[in-house]
Amino acid sequence: MADPVTDAANTISTKLETGFLNPVSNDDIKSAVGQITNLPAAEANQLIDRLESSGQLDQIADEINDGSWFGNGGLSADERRAFFTDMAGKLSGENLAALSESFSRTDGGGGEFGAVTDLSKEIATHASPQTRVDYIAAMKPQVDGESYTDTYFGGAVNHDTDAQAAAVGNVLGSLRGSYAEAGFNAIGDRLPHVLTTATDGELRTGMGGHATTTWDAQGYRDIMDAAASMGDADLKARVFDAGVDTLRSVRDTNSVIGGLTVMGKDDALRTMTDGLTAVINSDTTGVMTELTYNRETSDGSDFAAYAKEMLNQDRGAELGQQMARLQLGNDENGDPIQRLNETITVPGTDQERRPNAGALGYFVGATYAATASITKDVAAQRAMATSVLDSALAIVDKAARKNPIAGAVASVAKEWTHYAINQAISDPTADAATQLENAALPVNSQTGELGVGDDVLSAFEDTLASVQRRARP
């Protein structure tokens, strides 16, 4: 009985036979590719396994990409894309990674058509979500953070881009929900390489040694949108941590007169900050709690760096919305006093923690650290803090007016929070640190006394003091 996989493998071997006067022709490589695409998924996977084992998968990739002057093979960009589309819909994640690796050997990370990243775009569009996750896991060993350089007469372009990392980023950014969680877990500690590559940094050096650097951070934003879709707040916080590290590398690249010109930095930073904001806003209380208590981020430096960029972009109002959620809950309608006094048992112990109070202190400390990092001018710091508090006040005011009869205790707590923010804004003697701290906790509008007990105050002040002392935006 005929075996279609064996028949296809034998035909491909014949088509790939070469000699000095017998090069692989365009018809030969089209026929070889057709042997693969004509098979159904299960048999196509078997064939790719055989071709990889024999080394012929590398030869097929090389011939498909053959753009040399003597090349008789080679597929057009459209023909190659059609092949990639077909493979993305049929092959397993492991075999797609093997195909990618074969193409990576032909173009060294770049190439005329960028085969590795072109394949990944088809995988992101046509492969099933589970296949995409499997592809990311199989690609992880290939992600090494290498860059590549294109040279031309009179200059060169260094791409801060690892083709395999770019490919993983394209696919990771296409996942949502539980599949996104699986994708981030699959790439693990290689995520920083993926995020750096996703900013698409280029350093162009011309005659005379002058250099120009640029970025395109849309791929980074896509990855952050994938993270925002997840349900795991701890994993979101860890992605946020890696994302801020990447943002810093762009932020801290500056023009040097006569040596380096930086172009498109503001646009890249805004795109990156949009992505980080999407992660925070997807579960503000959950992500901020994880940032507060995860050892890697507990010093507040990451959130302070993010807040600094938000304030530099005049986005204090969005920070104010986040502060209001920490006071009222993600639905912006909870009881602030009750929320701040909520306790959990610290995992592995019998001790209590008040995470909502701690996260609010973390936010206040990091936001003040951001203002202090931007300027030493007290009035300017105060103006930034006021932009945050004006927004928080508007949200708390709206919450206080919502359903005032249904829940008198909650209404009083919101009124006290509104009072605290309003008094902090109105105090002409308060600096930014004092403003933010005084606005955080509810204050009895009749007596002027703090509206929370010692346990809440201690949890709030402990993280506030720790972050103010340690944060380095």
Side-chain angles (χ1 to χ4, degrees), residues 40-223:
E43 293 172 346
N45 276 285
Q46 294 176 42
L47 179 57
I48 292 295
D49 284 338
R50 289 197 193 184
L51 295 172
E52 183 188 12
S53 297
S54 68
Q56 289 178 311
L57 192 59
D58 285 356
Q59 187 180 358
I60 289 172
D62 189 57
E63 293 295 344
I64 287 175
N65 257 18
D66 186 1
S68 66
W69 189 82
F70 290 104
N72 293 305
L75 297 184
S76 69
D78 288 342
E79 289 169 335
R80 194 181 68 176
R81 186 178 303 109
F83 173 60
F84 287 167
T85 299
D86 186 77
M87 292 297 94
K90 288 180 179 177
L91 297 185
S92 67
E94 294 80 1
N95 279 335
L96 285 168
L99 184 62
S100 176
E101 187 170 13
S102 289
F103 274 100
S104 74
R105 297 187 181 109
T106 73
D107 63 15
E112 184 179 1
F113 299 120
V116 172
T117 52
D118 282 354
L119 173 60
S120 71
K121 292 173 184 176
E122 300 308 313
I123 294 169
T125 303
H126 298 288
S128 71
Q130 185 58 54
T131 297
R132 285 178 255 167
V133 172
D134 294 341
Y135 166 82
I136 291 171
M139 286 289 288
K140 182 179 178 180
Q142 300 181 43
V143 175
D144 54 18
E146 290 186 359
S147 61
Y148 73 95
T149 301
D150 288 330
T151 58
Y152 58 92
F153 180 74
V157 181
N158 179 264
H159 304 263
D160 195 10
T161 301
D162 169 26
Q164 287 75 21
V168 168
N170 287 336
V171 176
L172 186 58
S174 74
L175 295 170
R176 293 295 181 269
S178 61
Y179 290 108
E181 288 184 19
F184 280 104
N185 284 323
I187 197 59
D189 60 3
R190 305 295 173 87
L191 180 61
H193 295 318
V194 174
L195 290 174
T196 296
T197 291
T199 64
D200 197 17
E202 290 186 357
L203 179 65
R204 187 177 298 271
T205 305
M207 300 179 86
H210 187 83
T212 301
T213 190
T214 61
W215 300 270
D216 179 354
Q218 184 56 50
Y220 175 103
R221 172 63 197 269
D222 293 341
I223 294 171

Side-chain angles (χ1 to χ4, degrees), residues 335-380:
D335 179 336
I337 295 176
Q338 181 182 10
R339 287 196 74 261
L340 292 170
N341 198 39
E342 286 177 2
T343 63
I344 64 167
T345 300
V346 178
T349 76
D350 59 357
Q351 298 182 41
E352 283 188 344
R353 173 185 292 162
R354 285 172 170 75
N356 296 330
L360 184 57
Y362 180 91
F363 175 93
V364 169
T367 301
Y368 172 68
T371 68
S373 177
I374 292 171
T375 179
K376 301 304 179 187
D377 184 280
V378 174

Side-chain angles (χ1 to χ4, degrees), residues 320-321 324-325 327-334 336 389-407 410-419 421-422:
Q321 292 170 353
R325 293 190 195 109
Q327 294 171 310
L328 303 172
N330 284 339
D331 64 357
E332 300 177 3
N333 195 38
L389 297 180
D390 280 343
S391 174
L393 180 66
I395 293 171
V396 173
D397 181 60
K398 181 180 178 181
R401 298 171 185 274
K402 186 184 295 184
N403 301 323
I405 297 176
S411 295
V412 169
K414 293 171 188 174
E415 177 192 331
W416 288 6
T417 303
H418 183 279
Y419 177 80
I421 300 173
N422 195 43

